[in-house]
């Protein structure tokens, strides 16, 4: 209970900022949730229920005050094929199973592994996401005529573009006048007033779908509870859980950097899981943290759970009572706000430091951004980026292993090893030794190195066997405690003489 209440500290809370930020987030979340639900072939209310349920559950139980969750496109896109081939009930089942997987990840404290994501991958992820957000707004300049989606033309296009430009200008200029009210909310209200009082004919929220409905009701997905059902939904669930956690935990890290505070990744993973399970039983399409809406929230000055709760309750209120008003909001106002979010999401700093970055980091950042934009698969983009970064790191580390050779006063040949001995550096390590010409006793000094993995142990076994074949004796020196334990665990596989030297404390764990 204490952990839950930690985000509700009421000291020094700017309630005005929290409430206004929540209202603004709700306004920007509605069209996105509707669009993704329709894209997946679901009822529009399925998207709105997801926005409310994800928002309220993660706001209360999440590990990062200020974050906003909802029916995000990143997770919904994963389930489109399942919904089209097996129906919406199987989708609800997959969402529940994905939630269970996410709870397990949080329970076993696996969320911390998001720290392994390198900065170039973060740059690529955010830049690719910014492009996706921006292009999604450009798509709003299309209209459906006789079942065919076409670009706006003539006065319709000029009006939409003009109102969008007005929105962008207000978002940019209003903070210079005052920051007491979020500029994005002011922009939405002003553009709404212009369209209403001047009776301007332009695309509105109602042109996407109706947002009126009733309270979400509990129901168990109507699917057979057998292994065949599990085989159908499990692949979708595991991918959805992975995509949702990666996007949520990356968003958490992003907010940590913006606010100079620390969120709890494992707690957030559990909250995301609870929220998705709730979605599956109450008719929501599921989701995860929403980067754009979170940026809107933080940019409006929100720092506690209050704003996310206000946003979620606002969406519920709109579903129940305010649909007729929200349906009249011009899409141009929401498009303008989200375009500004895309522009601020883009890591422009990556261009300033690009000349100072290694070429491999530049490649990784660009590749992650391209995969994100082209495939809309954030999990795959991040996974590939991490793998390539890890391979580059291993290659660079493998090249760093060196050996300083000398002969001590007793005539023993001493090899002082520098750099880690692991699977990537074993070949270079073996090349350092002159087995045929070395004296009877050889000392391999690991004061500036360490034995890392099984490949390293196998390599030590090879080198000692080669020396043994020529009746020469190998001594390993200055091994750290963890290296000695690793060798002890391999007893019987490798026989070496480890010389203890109490004078040194080498590379403690």
């Amino acid at each position: 209970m204490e952990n839950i209440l930690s985000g509700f500290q009421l000291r020094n809370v700017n309630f005005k900022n929290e409430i206004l930020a929540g209202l603004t987030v709700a306004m920007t979340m509605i069209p996105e949730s509707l669009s993704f639900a329709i894209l997946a072939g679901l009822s529009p209310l399925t998207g709105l229920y997801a926005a409310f349920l994800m928002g309220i559950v993660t706001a209360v139980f999440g590990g990062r005050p200020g974050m906003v969750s909802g029916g995000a496109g990143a997770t919904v896109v994963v389930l489109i094929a399942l919904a089209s081939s097996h129906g919406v009930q199987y989708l609800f089942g997959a969402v529940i199973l994905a939630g269970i997987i996410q709870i397990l990840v949080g329970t076993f404290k696996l969320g911390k592994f998001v720290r392994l994501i390198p900065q170039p991958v973060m740059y690529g992820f955010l830049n690719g996401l910014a492009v996706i957000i921006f292009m999604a707004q450009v798509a709003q300049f299309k209209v459906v005529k006789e079942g065919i989606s076409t670009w706006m033309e003539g006065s319709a296009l000029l009006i939409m573009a003009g109102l969008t430009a007005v929105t962008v200008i207000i978002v940019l200029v209003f903070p210079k006048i005052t920051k007491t009210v979020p500029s994005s909310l002011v922009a939405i209200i002003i553009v709404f007033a212009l369209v209403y009082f001047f009776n301007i004919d332009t695309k509105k929220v109602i042109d996407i779908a109706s947002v009126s409905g009733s309270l979400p009701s509990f129901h168990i997905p109507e699917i057979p509870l057998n292994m065949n059902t599990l085989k159908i939904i499990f692949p979708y669930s595991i991918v959805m859980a992975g995509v949702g956690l990666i996007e949520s935990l990356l968003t958490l890290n992003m907010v940590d950097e913006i606010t100079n505070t620390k969120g709890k990744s494992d707690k957030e993973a559990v909250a995301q899981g609870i929220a998705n399970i709730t979605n599956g039983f109450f008719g929501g399409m599921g989701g995860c943290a929403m980067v754009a809406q979170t940026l809107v929230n933080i940019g409006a000055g929100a720092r506690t759970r209050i704003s996310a709760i206000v946003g979620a309750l606002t969406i519920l209120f709109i579903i129940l009572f305010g649909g007729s008003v929200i349906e009249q909001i011009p899409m141009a106002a929401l498009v303008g706000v989200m375009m500004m979010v895309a522009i601020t999401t883009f890591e422009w700093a990556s261009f300033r430091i690009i000349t100072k970055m290694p070429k491999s980091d530049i490649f990784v950042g660009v590749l992650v951004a391209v995969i994100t934009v082209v495939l809309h698969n954030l999990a795959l983009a991040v996974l590939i980026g991490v793998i390539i970064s890890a391979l580059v790191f291993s290659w660079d580390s493998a090249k760093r292993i060196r050996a300083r050779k000398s002969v001590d006063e007793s005539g023993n040949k001493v090899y002082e090893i520098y750099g880690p001995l692991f699977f990537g550096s074993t070949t270079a390590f073996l090349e350092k030794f002159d087995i045929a010409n070395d004296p009877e006793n050889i000392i391999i000094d690991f004061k500036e190195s360490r034995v890392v993995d099984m490949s390293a142990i196998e390599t030590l076994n090879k080198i000692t066997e080669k020396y043994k074949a020529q009746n020469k004796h190998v001594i390993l020196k200055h091994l750290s405690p963890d290296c000695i334990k690793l060798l002890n665990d391999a007893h019987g596989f490798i026989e070496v003489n480890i010389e203890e030297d109490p004078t040194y404390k080498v590379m403690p764990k």
Side-chain angles (χ1 to χ4, degrees):
M1 179 62 70
E2 183 178 346
N3 288 335
I4 295 174
L5 294 177
S6 62
F8 290 95
Q9 301 300 325
L10 301 183
R11 290 182 182 177
N12 302 320
V13 174
N14 190 323
F15 288 98
K16 175 179 63 63
N17 281 357
E18 299 291 331
I19 293 172
L20 293 179
L23 294 174
T24 307
V25 164
M27 295 303 102
T28 59
M29 193 182 293
I30 287 171
E32 188 167 342
S33 299
L34 291 173
S35 298
F36 285 126
I38 293 170
L39 177 66
L42 306 173
S43 162
L45 279 177
T46 306
L48 292 182
Y49 286 156
F52 163 64
L53 294 170
M54 291 296 303
I56 196 71
V57 173
T58 56
V60 175
F61 298 102
R64 172 69 266 180
M67 270 179 59
V68 177
S69 296
T75 53
V76 176
V77 168
V78 172
L79 302 177
I80 290 178
L82 176 63
S84 61
S85 58
H86 292 88
V88 69
Q89 296 301 318
Y90 277 84
L91 180 143
F92 293 144
V95 170
I96 293 171
L97 181 57
I100 294 172
I101 294 170
Q102 290 175 329
I103 289 176
L104 292 175
V105 169
T107 302
F108 289 101
K109 301 186 181 303
L110 302 178
K112 59 188 175 183
F113 287 106
V114 77
R115 301 173 191 166
L116 298 177
I117 299 176
Q119 192 61 43
V121 176
M122 284 289 290
Y123 280 145
F125 164 78
L126 290 173
N127 291 347
L129 192 61
V131 173
I132 289 176
I133 294 171
F134 191 89
M135 295 309 297
Q137 308 319 308
V138 173
Q140 295 298 334
F141 285 82
K142 289 183 176 181
V143 292
V144 177
K145 293 181 179 180
E146 298 178 358
I148 300 175
S149 179
T150 59
W151 292 101
M152 292 179 177
E153 297 177 346
S155 60
L157 176 60
L158 292 175
I159 291 172
M160 182 79 169
L163 292 173
T164 302
V166 170
T167 304
V168 170
I169 292 171
I170 295 172
V171 172
L172 288 172
V173 173
F174 193 79
K176 297 178 181 179
I177 301 172
T178 177
K179 294 184 179 179
T180 56
V181 182
S183 59
S184 49
L185 180 59
V186 173
I188 292 172
I189 293 172
I190 291 177
V191 173
F192 175 85
L194 286 174
V195 171
Y196 181 79
F197 289 110
F198 289 94
N199 197 26
I200 299 174
D201 184 18
T202 187
K203 186 178 181 181
K204 300 181 178 71
V205 171
I206 187 61
D207 295 319
I208 297 179
S210 172
V211 297
S212 300
S214 59
L215 280 170
S217 57
F218 178 83
H219 83 290
I220 298 175
E222 298 173 2
I223 54 177
L225 299 179
N226 53 39
M227 286 302 298
N228 186 52
T229 299
L230 183 62
K231 290 178 182 178
I232 293 172
I233 67 175
F234 182 76
Y236 294 97
S237 297
I238 195 73
V239 174
M240 179 186 175
V243 170
L245 285 180
I246 288 176
E247 186 161 358
S248 298
L249 297 181
L250 284 177
T251 304
L252 183 145
N253 279 3
M254 178 188 70
V255 178
D256 283 352
E257 292 181 9
I258 293 173
T259 61
N260 292 319
T261 56
K262 185 67 176 175
K264 299 178 181 178
S265 56
D266 295 316
K267 185 177 179 182
E268 183 63 35
V270 172
Q272 293 288 332
I274 295 172
N276 276 312
I277 292 174
T278 305
N279 265 266
F281 284 118
F282 283 88
M285 64 183 182
C288 63
M290 304 181 77
V291 180
Q293 279 70 23
T294 298
L295 286 170
V296 169
N297 194 40
I298 297 299
R303 292 295 183 272
T304 72
R305 302 177 190 274
I306 296 172
S307 59
I309 292 175
V310 169
L313 293 178
T314 300
I315 291 173
L316 178 62
F317 180 85
I318 289 168
I319 293 172
L320 299 178
F321 309 108
S324 59
V325 176
I326 300 302
E327 288 168 355
Q328 299 306 312
I329 292 179
M331 283 303 301
L334 302 176
V335 166
V337 169
M338 296 305 293
M339 281 185 171
M340 287 305 302
V341 168
I343 292 171
T344 55
T345 301
F346 198 93
E347 286 284 354
W348 300 101
S350 59
F351 288 123
R352 292 197 299 270
I353 64 173
I354 195 167
T355 56
K356 302 177 183 178
M357 295 171 64
K359 292 181 180 178
S360 58
D361 285 352
I362 297 172
F363 173 76
V364 168
V366 172
L367 180 64
V368 171
V370 170
I371 294 175
T372 302
V373 172
V374 174
L375 300 181
H376 287 212
N377 192 327
L378 306 180
L380 178 63
V382 171
L383 179 62
I384 291 175
V386 170
I387 290 174
I388 293 177
S389 296
L391 291 174
V392 170
F393 173 78
S394 298
W395 178 256
D396 289 341
S397 298
K399 293 190 297 183
R400 290 194 179 100
I401 194 164
R402 306 185 313 279
R404 179 184 294 172
K405 306 171 187 178
S406 62
V407 179
D408 64 14
E409 62 275 7
S410 301
N412 302 318
K413 183 70 173 287
V414 179
Y415 289 88
E416 295 178 78
I417 307 301
Y418 295 82
L421 180 58
F422 69 111
F423 68 90
S425 61
T426 53
T427 301
F429 174 78
L430 289 172
E431 293 173 352
K432 307 297 181 185
F433 297 91
D434 186 4
I435 299 172
N437 299 317
D438 279 347
E440 183 178 346
N441 291 316
I442 298 92
I443 298 174
I444 306 177
D445 192 337
F446 285 92
K447 181 179 180 180
E448 301 295 338
S449 179
R450 66 179 296 166
V451 179
V452 176
D453 57 11
M454 195 64 190
S455 296
I457 293 177
E458 184 179 1
T459 301
L460 289 176
N461 184 56
K462 286 181 181 178
I463 198 68
T464 53
E465 288 294 331
K466 288 181 179 180
Y467 277 113
K468 186 177 180 180
Q470 299 199 18
N471 296 317
K472 296 179 180 179
H473 187 58
V474 176
I475 296 173
L476 304 185
K477 190 176 182 181
H478 289 152
L479 284 169
S480 63
D482 54 335
C483 297
I484 293 173
K485 182 181 184 302
L486 199 60
L487 292 175
N488 288 337
D489 290 342
H491 181 70
F493 175 75
I494 179 172
E495 295 295 336
V496 295
N497 181 10
I498 301 175
E499 181 176 299
E500 300 291 344
D501 191 338
T503 305
Y504 299 94
K505 294 183 179 179
V506 183
M507 295 183 68
K509 292 179 78 173

